[in-house]
Amino acid sequence: MDPASEIASLRERIRHHEHCYYVLDSPEITDAEYDRLLTALEALEAAHPDLITPESPTQRVGGTPAAGFETIAHLAPMLSLENAYSGDELREFDGRVRRGLELAADAPALAYVAELKIDGLSLALTYDNGRLVRGVTRGDGIRGEDVTSNVRVIKAIPLMLIEPLASARARPAGPIEIRGEAFLSRQAFDRVNREREDAGEPLFANPRNAAAGTMRTLDPKAVSRRGLSAFFYQMVVSPGVAALDPSHAGALERIASWGLPVEPHWERCDGVDALLAFCARWATARAALPFDTDGIVIKLDDLALRERLGATAKFPRWAIAYKFPAERATTRLKSIEVNVGRTGAVTPYAVLEPVLVSGSTIQMATLHNEQEIARRDIRPGDLVEIEKGGDVIPKVIGPVLDQRPKNLRRWIMPGECPSCGSALTKPQEEVVWRCENASCPARLRRSLEHFASRRAMNIEGLGESLTDQLISSGLVNDFSDLYRLTVDQIAALSTTSEKDGKSITRRVGEKVAAKRVAEIERSKTNEIWRLLHALGIRHIGEGSAQALARHFASIPRLREASAAELEQVRDVGPVVARAVRAFLDEPRNQALIDRLVAVGVRMVDATSSQGPPGPQPFAGMTFVITGTLPSLSREAATALITRLGGKVSGSVSRKTSYLVAGDEAGSKLQKAQELGIEIIDEQALRALAGDL
């Protein structure tokens, strides 16, 4: 057999066994036999590099980590789903669908498809002539992040679609988008968290967060090690192209025939009664699944009827997500403790006798605030009912009063901070008690955790245990101290974790310490909005931090801005402006920023010239960008518009000032024409900007 034929044969055999293992969950060979096939293919391709193709199984794992993720527009918006929480709400949904289709009262029941709702991260894959060319996250529903390099290492996802024997289900000749959900099985989730614990890294809260965090990892090899899987549930064709199947059930069967994994428990249900029976059955049966599901997705089966119903701005009118009722349990409330947050907010929480709820052991739950405890009359020693709201956050519903022991005392909010002993204060108009001591160790720990979080300075691995050690050892007393840490200092520390009810203490070690120091050093070059968010200024979230960074482009400029100037920034009102000014006027905070400057943290964005804010010719204008511009990327065009005072929106409306259109502009161009919105190209945009 010639090398080309032998390589083709090996690839076909490997794809077959990957499909059996990762999609059908029915392996036909051992892992060792699979590895031998892959090794043989790698050897042949090494000897004949001209025969290597992108869809070869050897090309799944990328080389070097990516520098970041580009954003890509979806073929059609990835809308959210409206939720239903009861049988009555499902019946009302069916009624709305029937009214929308103008069906008579005695018309036959409608056919729906019911699918398990996978608790993961939404993906849209593009295949062209059967070959995987792109994988994109849902993002904001209009644009998502291009994570193709990570999608390629998920072995459940074929790099090349199977050509079915039945010609009726042949692959399309051109591009097609397949949508689904990437997820971690419970077993993979437990393994990943054990590995993170061993490495001294923060644990993921649940499989959904783990899947999302994994897909946004910049190193495909790390993604491959975590063992993501996927299920797919929708096929999207280009505007004006006829659907390949008249029904959703047919589309699911076609997707599966191409070798893509489809969750196998879906059913076609005639009428709402059949839907209710399906939902009731899986409310309990889901516990036996190897992955998490938080509900049932219900879709009208007939695609032509879907077209007639259409969608709102947020939801398709032909689909709904039925959410399972939160699981409840009763247990003993051992005590009520308080937690000190990074802003000094002191909030109570319940310490419970361990109880199993929705597959996890609950020992603590939120109690919100002092007023809620009094309103529900919850007392330490009560038998209480708890639930996991949305199957994620445990909360106390209330006491079982007929089983309350005699003489239980009401809980009283402590008057002093449990961490530093400072007197707690509560303004009349607020419900939250606060510790005003900025040097409180508990506040500092929470502040450091926020400072290092992914949405702030994004310093990976600075978890609760390590943070405690850095503070208790005296190595870190404020944010700037992080940037003076050495490998030897961190390596000598110890972290403690719980495993099987036992406390395990480990020395951090030089290898992990080197990673932490490298992460801290990298964070010095972050965009300044991350620093603004990380500092913990009251009322400053991601959005307002980004707005301030766009407007001022440097921390020195921001420090000089008056409250009136701050109020002129888009998305910054009087309350936020006062909070920013109050933070910057505090001498201790000024000294902290000076110390951050001294250790080399970036204070000026790359686009800033350190002069006064430039001209704002686009102030008050809203732009929408569609298609591919000749020389400006979508991000560069957005940066140009926002730098000059404009706002970029993802959708066309009557408030749109200009539509900036490039090649393959799509439906936004048509919508702009219908609304009479002025349409310009890149050259006209540059002219409006003064060719800056």
Side-chain angles (χ1 to χ4, degrees):
M1 187 183 293
D2 64 277
S5 299
E6 191 172 356
I7 284 173
S9 175
L10 276 170
R11 287 175 182 167
E12 186 175 349
R13 290 170 65 191
I14 290 169
R15 288 193 198 105
H16 169 77
H17 290 300
E18 285 182 342
H19 183 70
C20 289
Y21 187 94
Y22 293 104
V23 178
L24 303 180
D25 197 22
S26 181
E28 296 178 351
I29 60 175
T30 66
D31 290 352
E33 289 171 316
Y34 172 85
D35 290 341
R36 281 196 291 272
L37 290 174
L38 195 61
T39 300
L41 178 59
E42 288 171 343
L44 273 171
E45 288 183 344
H48 304 278
D50 55 314
L51 297 178
I52 297 175
T53 59
E55 67 272 12
S56 172
T58 63
Q59 302 305 299
R60 281 194 181 275
V61 179
T64 57
F69 296 119
E70 181 186 0
T71 60
I72 302 289
H74 296 301
L75 197 58
M78 293 183 74
L79 300 177
S80 301
L81 291 177
E82 193 173 6
N83 292 326
Y85 297 93
S86 68
D88 288 343
E89 290 180 355
L90 270 189
R91 290 188 186 278
E92 174 54 31
F93 163 72
D94 179 60
R96 288 198 304 272
V97 171
R98 295 177 69 85
R99 290 192 296 273
L101 295 172
E102 299 180 341
L103 299 180
D106 58 351
L110 289 168
Y112 295 96
V113 171
E115 307 164 29
L116 298 182
K117 187 175 181 294
I118 309 304
D119 209 12
L121 176 76
S122 296
L123 289 177
L125 308 184
T126 299
Y127 285 88
D128 195 353
N129 291 314
R131 179 178 289 111
L132 177 66
V133 295
R134 182 174 295 142
V136 181
T137 64
R138 180 182 181 276
D140 62 4
I142 304 298
R143 299 179 64 83
E145 292 179 313
D146 186 343
V147 291
T148 306
S149 58
N150 289 345
V151 164
R152 289 178 61 85
V153 304
I154 300 175
K155 292 187 177 179
I157 297 176
L159 303 178
M160 192 78 183
L161 297 180
I162 295 171
E163 184 72 70
L165 295 176
S167 59
R169 287 183 178 160
R171 298 192 312 248
I176 192 164
E177 187 174 283
I178 310 291
R179 294 178 176 177
E181 201 87 1
F183 67 93
L184 270 181
S185 68
R186 290 170 181 158
Q187 183 179 18
F189 172 71
D190 290 341
R191 174 180 52 77
V192 168
N193 261 354
R194 285 197 302 272
E195 291 171 356
R196 292 176 71 82
E197 183 180 58
D198 291 343
E201 297 173 343
L203 304 187
F204 287 119
N206 51 54
R208 181 178 64 245
N209 288 359
T214 297
M215 191 52 69
R216 295 198 76 259
T217 298
L218 295 175
D219 184 357
K221 291 182 179 179
V223 178
S224 178
R225 287 193 299 271
R226 287 188 182 171
L228 279 175
S229 193
F231 285 130
F232 293 88
Y233 52 74
Q234 187 181 5
M235 187 188 310
V236 181
V237 295
S238 300
V241 176
L244 300 180
D245 296 276
S247 70
H248 182 62
L252 289 177
E253 290 168 350
R254 184 184 293 268
I255 291 171
S257 76
W258 291 343
L260 284 155
V262 173
E263 208 292 313
H265 297 101
W266 65 270
E267 284 185 17
R268 187 177 183 275
C269 301
D270 289 318
V272 71
D273 288 334
L275 286 175
L276 289 171
F278 183 91
C279 293
R281 184 165 73 252
W282 281 103
T284 53
R286 62 185 172 130
L289 293 168
F291 54 84
D292 281 355
T293 176
D294 58 353
I296 305 293
V297 176
I298 294 161
K299 305 170 185 173
L300 193 61
D301 188 36
D302 190 309
L303 302 191
L305 295 182
R306 291 186 185 182
E307 285 294 317
R308 284 172 55 187
L309 285 169
T312 68
K314 291 184 178 180
F315 311 119
R317 294 189 176 94
W318 42 263
I320 198 165
Y322 173 81
K323 292 298 190 78
F324 293 126
E327 186 178 332
R328 293 189 175 187
T330 55
T331 188
R332 188 68 60 186
L333 174 60
K334 295 166 65 176
S335 64
I336 297 177
E337 309 293 341
V338 294
N339 178 63
V340 184
R342 64 183 178 84
T343 64
V346 180
T347 53
Y349 65 93
V351 179
L352 307 163
E353 289 184 357
V355 62
L356 190 67
V357 185
S358 298
S360 58
T361 300
I362 305 302
Q363 294 179 280
M364 290 186 292
T366 181
L367 287 170
H368 302 293
N369 55 55
E370 178 188 22
Q371 286 86 337
E372 277 296 292
I373 295 172
R375 185 180 68 81
R376 298 179 189 180
D377 191 18
I378 300 170
R379 307 182 187 187
D382 267 330
L383 190 69
V384 293
E385 189 175 25
I386 66 167
E387 74 173 22
K388 288 180 73 175
D391 273 358
V392 177
I393 303 170
K395 59 183 178 181
V396 176
I397 302 302
V400 182
L401 291 175
D402 60 1
Q403 296 190 45
R404 169 173 284 172
K406 291 182 179 180
N407 303 320
L408 278 190
R409 293 184 178 181
R410 293 181 181 273
W411 181 77
I412 299 174
M413 186 76 182
E416 296 181 345
C417 173
S419 180
C420 68
S422 299
L424 300 182
T425 62
K426 181 172 74 67
Q428 272 192 329
E429 68 277 9
E430 295 188 10
V431 298
V432 177
W433 288 85
R434 295 184 183 277
C435 170
E436 300 293 351
N437 178 14
S439 300
C440 172
R443 286 189 62 176
L444 178 58
R445 180 169 67 81
R446 298 295 186 195
S447 297
L448 279 175
E449 288 175 4
H450 170 72
F451 187 86
S453 66
R454 185 167 65 87
R455 296 296 189 182
M457 294 300 275
N458 195 23
I459 303 173
E460 189 173 346
L462 203 65
E464 184 176 325
S465 180
L466 182 56
T467 300
D468 281 340
Q469 284 284 299
L470 290 171
I471 294 171
S472 61
S473 65
L475 290 173
V476 173
N477 294 298
D478 64 39
F479 303 144
S480 67
D481 288 338
L482 286 173
Y483 297 95
R484 299 185 179 90
L485 293 171
T486 66
V487 172
D488 288 343
Q489 285 175 324
I490 298 178
L493 300 176
S494 299
T495 59
T496 303
S497 58
E498 293 289 329
K499 191 171 184 179
D500 299 328
K502 296 180 180 178
S503 182
I504 301 173
T505 301
R506 292 187 179 90
R507 186 173 174 272
V508 172
E510 192 169 314
K511 185 177 179 180
V512 171
K515 290 182 180 179
R516 301 295 171 266
V517 170
E519 276 288 304
I520 293 169
E521 184 66 23
R522 178 200 52 75
S523 75
K524 287 181 179 180
T525 60
N526 282 339
E527 306 98 316
I528 64 167
W529 73 261
R530 287 187 171 276
L531 177 60
L532 285 173
H533 186 213
L535 286 171
I537 304 171
R538 202 170 177 196
H539 302 304
I540 291 292
E542 267 184 273
S544 49
Q546 289 169 351
L548 289 167
R550 280 196 303 268
H551 188 87
F552 294 102
S554 84
I555 302 297
R557 281 189 203 160
L558 179 64
R559 293 175 74 170
E560 295 169 0
S562 66
E565 288 178 279
L566 290 167
E567 284 188 42
Q568 300 308 308
V569 179
R570 188 187 298 272
D571 299 327
V572 174
V575 173
V576 175
R578 286 196 298 271
V580 172
R581 197 61 265 161
F583 180 91
L584 295 174
D585 288 339
E586 165 59 47
R588 286 173 294 187
N589 296 334
Q590 294 172 359
L592 171 62
I593 294 173
D594 291 340
R595 289 194 294 273
L596 288 169
V597 171
V599 294
V601 176
R602 174 188 281 182
M603 295 285 157
V604 180
D605 273 341
T607 56
S608 172
S609 63
Q610 277 284 24
Q616 303 280 290
F618 293 164
M621 297 182 186
T622 299
F623 292 74
V624 174
I625 306 170
T626 184
T628 304
L629 303 180
S631 64
L632 285 175
S633 68
R634 185 72 60 97
E635 290 69 31
T638 298
L640 171 66
I641 291 166
T642 54
R643 190 171 73 246
L644 300 181
K647 179 181 178 181
V648 177
S649 174
S651 58
V652 176
S653 71
R654 296 190 184 278
K655 295 182 179 179
T656 303
S657 307
Y658 294 97
L659 177 78
V660 184
D663 293 338
E664 301 178 3
S667 60
K668 291 179 186 176
L669 178 59
Q670 182 180 349
K671 180 75 176 290
Q673 290 168 336
E674 291 172 357
L675 294 176
I677 304 300
E678 187 169 349
I679 299 164
I680 60 175
D681 58 12
E682 181 186 322
Q683 185 177 0
L685 174 66
R686 289 182 179 276
L688 284 171
D691 201 23
L692 297 174

